[in-house]
Amino acid sequence: MSEIRNYTLNFGPQHPAAHGVLRLILELDGEVVERADPHIGFLHRGTEKLAESRTWLQSVPYMDRLDYMATMCNEHVYCLAVEKLLGIEVPERAQYIRVMFDEITRVLNHLVLIGSHAFDIGAMTMILYAFRERADLLDVYEAVSGARWHPAYYRPGGVYRDLPDSMPKYKPNRFKSESQLKQLNAAREGSMLDFLEDFFERFPKCCDDYETLLTENRIWKQRTVGIGVVSPERALAMGFSGPMLRGSGIAWDLRRKQPYEVYDRLDFDIPVGKNGDCYDRYLCRMEEMRQSTRIIRQCIDWLRKNPGSVITDNHKIAPPKREKVKSDMEELIHHFKLFSEGFHVPEGEVYATIEHPKGEFGVYAISDGANKPYRIRLRSAGFVHLAAMDEMARGHMIADVVALMGTLDVVFGDVDR
Amino acid sequence: MNAKLERLSQILQIVFGGRLRSLTENLGEITVEVGAEDYLEVVRTLRDHAELRFEQLMDICGVDYSAYGNGETTCKPGRRFATVLHLLSLEHNWRLRVRAFSPNNDFPVLDSVCGLWASANWQEREAFDLVGIMYSGHTDLRRILTDYGFVGHPLRKDFPVSGYTEVRYDTEAGRVVYQPVTIEPRENAPRIVREAGYGEIGHV
């Protein structure tokens, strides 16, 4: 009998299914994974160290670069931490805007996730459908902040500016006729809220389309049902949060259990899985997109009826209006001090967290009273989830590792920080 | 302090008594500090005690306190390197922060909590990598985020932001080489600690 030994396989760091720069050392017995050792850090930029040498305000755009699939949620946690330390109130309208954009971000994140997850295990069409809807929502990002990927829209004390009255439109070119343009721009004639309302009118139908492609699809079920099963006890021990925890049957959602902003006034449900496998987690995420649609609709209604300020009027923290800076000496000084020295945050420490699309994203900030953080610690869900890769992959076939990568929902900006 | 935090702090005081070096409540969060020798036992009780039940370890964070405050080094022996744990109880829906300082400033060691929560594994590796705290009892204490063969612990306060080495592609050698860093350190806005209550913001 010939001697058969385990062999190791190097997966990544440049692999299309690695969702970024993951190097995975797989120890294999035939095609069965005996041990998986993820090597991370290829995208480590030292965000925590950089934040120590920037003023509190300057770190906001760095947060976008963490989980670049759910940018606004990262900013949100950071702003919450700073606000908690400063002890300032955020205007109600800004809270609704934040909740609305958090949910838009959740939809954006889940679209990429489900699209690329399905693409990784063989369903090509999904990614095209998902990115079609994603492009529309990115236009909303662009309308509100000027950037499609890294908005830096949330600021300590509120949001940067109020919702715009117009949407960017398609411009004529030699590939698009007048009538096509008219059709494309039909929903973009009104304000941003009109566009969003129209989008979330048709979005549930898009979700139905995705489900017809995947939910009862035999191949999809063969690849995901019973793969990467995590028991509720193990999910807790491994520090899971978000859809990864709910997929294992634990009804835990920070939006409900530890409500922040205005979530306690909104009506929505929390989907919970049963078996804790990749399929249940997929179903949870699918349902979360529908629930986000409900939340966004409620926010749109409220925002239409209640105009008001969107950032705190404490000019020690938020800049004064441009016209005021030009005419008022005191406001000019405020503006200058704010953007040169920055605001000082009282001594203390705080851990702020929200229900990020990927799980619990936390910012632990220590201030010693300076204009810069003493220490910023970023607790990312992706890092913790990826740590469970070894345990989840053991005993599965090598092809299932790709399914696990998808379901873990890792983004390397977030894992490596 | 709301009723829930009040209850948590009472339970903590009854269960641990003198083993807590301090118990503080600030901004709606409770922080306890424990000595390195009690650390493992205390967190084990936090996890298992029926009235506490911290089933989840959310975060482990290493902190270097050597540059805290207005320039002067407040770094007494055994007060430089802290490990901060953020625990969450789903059953009681409360959070707790646990801080433990390593006794030796030159060679910081603390017990590992890997045996209590599986999620501690990578988080302790990260604290070791970036801050340089050793966790005794950890089975696999390798670097995790920095480069293969990296020297130093970047989140220590004496480590410069631009680091010590940089990489470039050497056309003659035909490979990527390491060389001493060539960027000048630069600080646009200096770090200033003002008197308490400056600008009339905060909880004063």
Side-chain angles (χ1 to χ4, degrees), chain A residues 228-250:
Chain A
V229 179
V230 184
S231 69
E233 297 76 40
R234 287 311 291 165
L236 287 176
M238 293 194 289
F240 279 14
S241 49
M244 296 291 291
L245 188 62
R246 290 193 286 275
S248 294
I250 297 174

mmCIF file of all heavy atoms in Angstrom, chain A residues 228-250:
data_model
loop_
_atom_site.group_PDB
_atom_site.id
_atom_site.type_symbol
_atom_site.label_atom_id
_atom_site.label_comp_id
_atom_site.label_asym_id
_atom_site.label_seq_id
_atom_site.Cartn_x
_atom_site.Cartn_y
_atom_site.Cartn_z
ATOM 1 N N GLY A 228 -20.625 24.632 6.555
ATOM 2 C CA GLY A 228 -20.204 25.615 7.557
ATOM 3 C C GLY A 228 -21.223 25.772 8.669
ATOM 4 O O GLY A 228 -21.575 26.887 9.042
ATOM 5 N N VAL A 229 -21.697 24.653 9.214
ATOM 6 C CA VAL A 229 -22.701 24.726 10.276
ATOM 7 C C VAL A 229 -22.027 25.181 11.574
ATOM 8 O O VAL A 229 -21.003 24.638 11.973
ATOM 9 C CB VAL A 229 -23.374 23.354 10.482
ATOM 10 C CG1 VAL A 229 -24.407 23.430 11.597
ATOM 11 C CG2 VAL A 229 -24.017 22.896 9.191
ATOM 12 N N VAL A 230 -22.627 26.185 12.202
ATOM 13 C CA VAL A 230 -22.109 26.693 13.470
ATOM 14 C C VAL A 230 -23.235 26.604 14.494
ATOM 15 O O VAL A 230 -24.317 27.146 14.281
ATOM 16 C CB VAL A 230 -21.640 28.164 13.347
ATOM 17 C CG1 VAL A 230 -21.034 28.625 14.651
ATOM 18 C CG2 VAL A 230 -20.630 28.305 12.227
ATOM 19 N N SER A 231 -22.972 25.927 15.584
ATOM 20 C CA SER A 231 -23.996 25.805 16.627
ATOM 21 C C SER A 231 -24.087 27.121 17.392
ATOM 22 O O SER A 231 -23.124 27.897 17.418
ATOM 23 C CB SER A 231 -23.639 24.674 17.583
ATOM 24 O OG SER A 231 -22.508 25.043 18.331
ATOM 25 N N PRO A 232 -25.226 27.404 18.028
ATOM 26 C CA PRO A 232 -25.354 28.671 18.767
ATOM 27 C C PRO A 232 -24.262 28.833 19.822
ATOM 28 O O PRO A 232 -23.735 29.935 19.990
ATOM 29 C CB PRO A 232 -26.734 28.555 19.427
ATOM 30 C CG PRO A 232 -27.465 27.544 18.666
ATOM 31 C CD PRO A 232 -26.476 26.637 18.037
ATOM 32 N N GLU A 233 -23.895 27.762 20.511
ATOM 33 C CA GLU A 233 -22.878 27.865 21.570
ATOM 34 C C GLU A 233 -21.535 28.275 20.979
ATOM 35 O O GLU A 233 -20.843 29.146 21.503
ATOM 36 C CB GLU A 233 -22.706 26.527 22.300
ATOM 37 C CG GLU A 233 -23.929 26.021 23.045
ATOM 38 C CD GLU A 233 -24.982 25.425 22.117
ATOM 39 O OE1 GLU A 233 -24.592 24.720 21.161
ATOM 40 O OE2 GLU A 233 -26.177 25.682 22.317
ATOM 41 N N ARG A 234 -21.177 27.627 19.850
ATOM 42 C CA ARG A 234 -19.899 27.963 19.226
ATOM 43 C C ARG A 234 -19.930 29.384 18.670
ATOM 44 O O ARG A 234 -18.937 30.100 18.707
ATOM 45 C CB ARG A 234 -19.558 26.977 18.092
ATOM 46 C CG ARG A 234 -19.144 25.608 18.554
ATOM 47 C CD ARG A 234 -18.085 25.643 19.625
ATOM 48 N NE ARG A 234 -16.777 26.112 19.146
ATOM 49 C CZ ARG A 234 -15.794 26.494 19.947
ATOM 50 N NH1 ARG A 234 -15.963 26.479 21.256
ATOM 51 N NH2 ARG A 234 -14.645 26.895 19.452
ATOM 52 N N ALA A 235 -21.078 29.769 18.138
ATOM 53 C CA ALA A 235 -21.182 31.128 17.576
ATOM 54 C C ALA A 235 -20.907 32.163 18.662
ATOM 55 O O ALA A 235 -20.234 33.166 18.421
ATOM 56 C CB ALA A 235 -22.564 31.341 16.965
ATOM 57 N N LEU A 236 -21.399 31.912 19.867
ATOM 58 C CA LEU A 236 -21.145 32.852 20.959
ATOM 59 C C LEU A 236 -19.676 32.819 21.360
ATOM 60 O O LEU A 236 -19.040 33.854 21.545
ATOM 61 C CB LEU A 236 -22.014 32.498 22.169
ATOM 62 C CG LEU A 236 -23.500 32.808 22.036
ATOM 63 C CD1 LEU A 236 -24.232 32.314 23.264
ATOM 64 C CD2 LEU A 236 -23.730 34.297 21.857
ATOM 65 N N ALA A 237 -19.135 31.619 21.489
ATOM 66 C CA ALA A 237 -17.746 31.497 21.931
ATOM 67 C C ALA A 237 -16.795 32.141 20.933
ATOM 68 O O ALA A 237 -15.763 32.698 21.308
ATOM 69 C CB ALA A 237 -17.393 30.034 22.135
ATOM 70 N N MET A 238 -17.129 32.053 19.651
ATOM 71 C CA MET A 238 -16.231 32.600 18.641
ATOM 72 C C MET A 238 -16.487 34.084 18.399
ATOM 73 O O MET A 238 -15.924 34.672 17.485
ATOM 74 C CB MET A 238 -16.357 31.811 17.350
ATOM 75 C CG MET A 238 -15.835 30.386 17.513
ATOM 76 S SD MET A 238 -15.581 29.498 15.988
ATOM 77 C CE MET A 238 -17.219 29.197 15.431
ATOM 78 N N GLY A 239 -17.358 34.675 19.182
ATOM 79 C CA GLY A 239 -17.556 36.125 19.099
ATOM 80 C C GLY A 239 -18.335 36.584 17.883
ATOM 81 O O GLY A 239 -18.205 37.732 17.468
ATOM 82 N N PHE A 240 -19.161 35.713 17.312
ATOM 83 C CA PHE A 240 -19.929 36.101 16.130
ATOM 84 C C PHE A 240 -20.924 37.204 16.470
ATOM 85 O O PHE A 240 -21.356 37.353 17.607
ATOM 86 C CB PHE A 240 -20.708 34.893 15.593
ATOM 87 C CG PHE A 240 -19.874 33.963 14.754
ATOM 88 C CD1 PHE A 240 -18.504 34.053 14.753
ATOM 89 C CD2 PHE A 240 -20.480 32.995 13.959
ATOM 90 C CE1 PHE A 240 -17.740 33.193 13.979
ATOM 91 C CE2 PHE A 240 -19.720 32.133 13.190
ATOM 92 C CZ PHE A 240 -18.366 32.233 13.200
ATOM 93 N N SER A 241 -21.290 37.944 15.446
ATOM 94 C CA SER A 241 -22.299 38.982 15.612
ATOM 95 C C SER A 241 -22.971 39.176 14.263
ATOM 96 O O SER A 241 -22.521 38.641 13.255
ATOM 97 C CB SER A 241 -21.651 40.281 16.097
ATOM 98 O OG SER A 241 -20.539 40.589 15.306
ATOM 99 N N GLY A 242 -24.050 39.931 14.265
ATOM 100 C CA GLY A 242 -24.741 40.221 13.013
ATOM 101 C C GLY A 242 -25.365 38.974 12.402
ATOM 102 O O GLY A 242 -25.727 38.047 13.106
ATOM 103 N N PRO A 243 -25.460 38.938 11.064
ATOM 104 C CA PRO A 243 -26.115 37.806 10.399
ATOM 105 C C PRO A 243 -25.447 36.462 10.714
ATOM 106 O O PRO A 243 -26.110 35.428 10.673
ATOM 107 C CB PRO A 243 -25.978 38.131 8.907
ATOM 108 C CG PRO A 243 -25.699 39.569 8.836
ATOM 109 C CD PRO A 243 -25.023 39.960 10.101
ATOM 110 N N MET A 244 -24.178 36.463 11.036
ATOM 111 C CA MET A 244 -23.496 35.213 11.357
ATOM 112 C C MET A 244 -24.064 34.610 12.637
ATOM 113 O O MET A 244 -24.163 33.399 12.784
ATOM 114 C CB MET A 244 -21.996 35.434 11.552
ATOM 115 C CG MET A 244 -21.267 35.898 10.328
ATOM 116 S SD MET A 244 -21.155 34.667 9.053
ATOM 117 C CE MET A 244 -20.053 33.484 9.773
ATOM 118 N N LEU A 245 -24.409 35.480 13.587
ATOM 119 C CA LEU A 245 -24.980 35.011 14.859
ATOM 120 C C LEU A 245 -26.448 34.658 14.672
ATOM 121 O O LEU A 245 -26.914 33.625 15.154
ATOM 122 C CB LEU A 245 -24.813 36.113 15.909
ATOM 123 C CG LEU A 245 -25.156 35.785 17.352
ATOM 124 C CD1 LEU A 245 -24.256 34.681 17.862
ATOM 125 C CD2 LEU A 245 -24.994 37.004 18.222
ATOM 126 N N ARG A 246 -27.155 35.506 13.934
ATOM 127 C CA ARG A 246 -28.583 35.257 13.740
ATOM 128 C C ARG A 246 -28.812 34.018 12.879
ATOM 129 O O ARG A 246 -29.797 33.313 13.063
ATOM 130 C CB ARG A 246 -29.240 36.477 13.095
ATOM 131 C CG ARG A 246 -29.309 37.659 14.038
ATOM 132 C CD ARG A 246 -30.214 38.732 13.507
ATOM 133 N NE ARG A 246 -29.616 39.472 12.403
ATOM 134 C CZ ARG A 246 -28.804 40.499 12.564
ATOM 135 N NH1 ARG A 246 -28.496 40.912 13.759
ATOM 136 N NH2 ARG A 246 -28.302 41.142 11.525
ATOM 137 N N GLY A 247 -27.906 33.744 11.962
ATOM 138 C CA GLY A 247 -28.022 32.539 11.148
ATOM 139 C C GLY A 247 -27.998 31.283 12.003
ATOM 140 O O GLY A 247 -28.569 30.256 11.636
ATOM 141 N N SER A 248 -27.321 31.368 13.159
ATOM 142 C CA SER A 248 -27.257 30.220 14.057
ATOM 143 C C SER A 248 -28.443 30.169 15.006
ATOM 144 O O SER A 248 -28.462 29.362 15.931
ATOM 145 C CB SER A 248 -25.961 30.253 14.871
ATOM 146 O OG SER A 248 -24.870 30.081 14.016
ATOM 147 N N GLY A 249 -29.391 31.055 14.825
ATOM 148 C CA GLY A 249 -30.628 30.961 15.595
ATOM 149 C C GLY A 249 -30.666 31.812 16.843
ATOM 150 O O GLY A 249 -31.528 31.606 17.688
ATOM 151 N N ILE A 250 -29.757 32.752 17.003
ATOM 152 C CA ILE A 250 -29.800 33.620 18.175
ATOM 153 C C ILE A 250 -30.350 34.973 17.753
ATOM 154 O O ILE A 250 -29.774 35.651 16.904
ATOM 155 C CB ILE A 250 -28.396 33.773 18.797
ATOM 156 C CG1 ILE A 250 -27.925 32.409 19.288
ATOM 157 C CG2 ILE A 250 -28.429 34.777 19.938
ATOM 158 C CD1 ILE A 250 -26.523 32.388 19.787
#
